[in-house]
Amino acid sequence: MVNCKVMNESILAVDDEPLILKTIEKALTKTGYNVKGVSSVEDFMDAIRKETFDLLVIDLHLGGMSPDAFLKKVRELALHSKILVISGSVAGLSGRYFLQKPFRIEELRQRVREILDEPGFD
């Protein structure tokens, strides 16, 4: 199991599929992260306007925005947050900051830890 180095690391997750969102919240909370889950673009945008999160776990297919427009808006509002994109159907995305659905819980935990361990923006 992946261990959190800093127990106050905060994660905001957004997914409109309740089962996936609950799975992400539970998996990361059990590992020691402070996790907030939301299921809509509006709640997500509201949360990143009000709070700073170490990591954003984002499903790109929400609220009718294109993935590019959504990510651009997120980056404008959350300059200091790292981002992990999750999706089952985004063509052309791959790499460290993307996790293809369906994914294993341990794979999610490992990727989150790797991203959080990277040097920050500050």
Side-chain angles (χ1 to χ4, degrees):
M1 177 176 277
V2 177
N3 292 317
C4 296
K5 288 183 179 180
V6 180
M7 296 306 276
N8 65 352
E9 289 170 310
S10 62
I11 298 172
L12 175 62
V14 60
D15 199 304
D16 60 351
E17 296 179 52
L19 182 58
I20 292 174
L21 182 60
K22 189 52 108 179
T23 299
I24 292 168
E25 287 178 289
K26 190 174 182 178
L28 297 177
T29 299
K30 280 187 170 185
T31 310
Y33 299 105
N34 296 314
V35 182
K36 179 175 185 170
V38 295
S39 59
S40 72
V41 171
E42 295 79 18
D43 290 343
F44 179 77
M45 294 298 186
D46 188 50
I48 61 176
R49 284 183 183 104
K50 292 179 180 176
E51 298 177 56
T52 301
F53 296 91
D54 297 300
L55 178 69
L56 308 174
V57 178
I58 303 171
D59 178 8
L60 288 182
H61 294 291
L62 298 168
M65 295 177 94
S66 74
D68 290 337
F70 185 48
L71 278 177
K72 182 179 179 190
K73 185 69 173 172
V74 168
R75 184 48 58 216
E76 290 170 2
L77 294 173
L79 293 174
H80 300 287
S81 298
K82 296 174 182 180
I83 297 173
L84 173 61
V85 173
I86 58 172
S87 181
S89 60
V90 175
L93 281 181
S94 64
R96 179 184 222 51
Y97 304 100
F98 176 72
L99 192 57
Q100 179 78 37
K101 290 180 187 177
F103 49 80
R104 294 182 342 268
I105 297 298
E106 195 54 39
E107 185 179 15
L108 171 67
R109 288 175 174 157
Q110 183 65 38
R111 189 71 56 88
V112 164
R113 186 70 261 151
E114 289 171 2
I115 293 170
L116 287 170
D117 283 346
E118 292 177 351
F121 299 106
D122 297 323

